[in-house]
Amino acid sequence: GPAAGGAHLPIGICAGWQADGAMLDAIERTGVPLLGWGPPAPALVDADDPTGWHAMDPLPPTSMRRRRLLDVASTPDAAGLLRAEVRFRDSYWEHDGTETVVHEYGLHLAADPTDWTIRSIDATPGPLPAPECPSAAASARRLVGVDLRTLRDHVRDELTGTSTCTHLNDVLRSLADLPRLVGT
């Protein structure tokens, strides 16, 4: 459907843009989508891993930033699987300079390094813009059995529509880099 000014909205592209969802309701009621309405952003730095995230200066008001962390074990575990943890956050700086969370996911992955098949994967949603958005986390489990090296095409072709999230899919596609990160 058209938005103010004749622009077209991405209805059906992801869980947050469902035809009968809260995002479109917010646009109808307020004229703006549910973006920039997130909670204040807690620090990403973990005291147990102070070098996991590099320091970054705050941005000016009305700016956005995407941050990612991809930690992968350098050797397989006792089951012969490589484990990886991913964090992803999109932030928005409000007019008063407060950083707020727009999108955030965490992922845990186990892959077989002999053929790079995903053996398990779980996505955990953090703050997301619409109440329908967290349902997209389940789409990550549809990747069990998929070769990591084919993820870019597989995610693009198979994880579409309102059962998924375009932001989560971006993170999932980046997992195709895991074999290179461990040097194989």
Side-chain angles (χ1 to χ4, degrees):
H8 289 283
L9 300 173
I11 298 170
I13 195 169
C14 65
W17 283 98
Q18 295 185 32
D20 58 351
M23 190 76 75
L24 290 180
D25 182 57
I27 291 170
E28 288 175 12
R29 285 184 298 103
T30 69
V32 295
L34 295 171
L35 302 173
W37 295 9
L44 288 169
V45 176
D46 179 350
D48 294 333
D49 186 15
T51 61
W53 295 93
H54 59 275
M56 299 184 88
D57 292 332
L59 292 175
T62 71
S63 297
M64 293 190 81
R65 173 179 284 152
R66 174 166 290 169
R67 295 188 76 186
R68 295 182 201 206
L69 172 77
L70 173 55
D71 272 345
V72 60
S74 59
T75 58
D77 64 12
L81 301 176
L82 277 178
R83 306 270 172 188
E85 181 181 351
V86 180
R87 292 282 311 271
F88 163 88
R89 179 187 283 173
D90 281 346
S91 297
Y92 175 77
W93 271 258
E94 300 288 348
H95 288 280
D96 67 2
T98 302
E99 179 186 3
T100 60
V101 179
V102 180
H103 296 95
E104 186 168 291
Y105 281 99
L107 284 171
H108 287 91
L109 168 94
D112 185 335
T114 64
D115 62 5
W116 292 110
T117 301
I118 296 172
R119 298 295 182 213
S120 68
I121 185 168
D122 287 298
T124 303
L128 295 167
E132 296 85 2
C133 293
S135 68
S139 68
R141 289 192 293 273
R142 294 177 9 211
L143 298 177
V144 171
V146 174
D147 184 323
L148 279 168
R149 298 166 295 189
T150 68
L151 274 186
R152 284 185 175 79
D153 291 338
H154 186 88
V155 169
R156 182 195 65 228
D157 296 341
E158 302 296 329
L159 299 186
T160 61
T162 59
S163 69
T164 66
C165 169
T166 57
H167 297 84
L168 176 59
N169 288 353
D170 182 54
V171 174
L172 294 169
R173 285 190 303 270
S174 74
L175 295 173
D177 293 330
L178 278 173
R180 285 187 204 106
L181 289 173
V182 297
T184 62

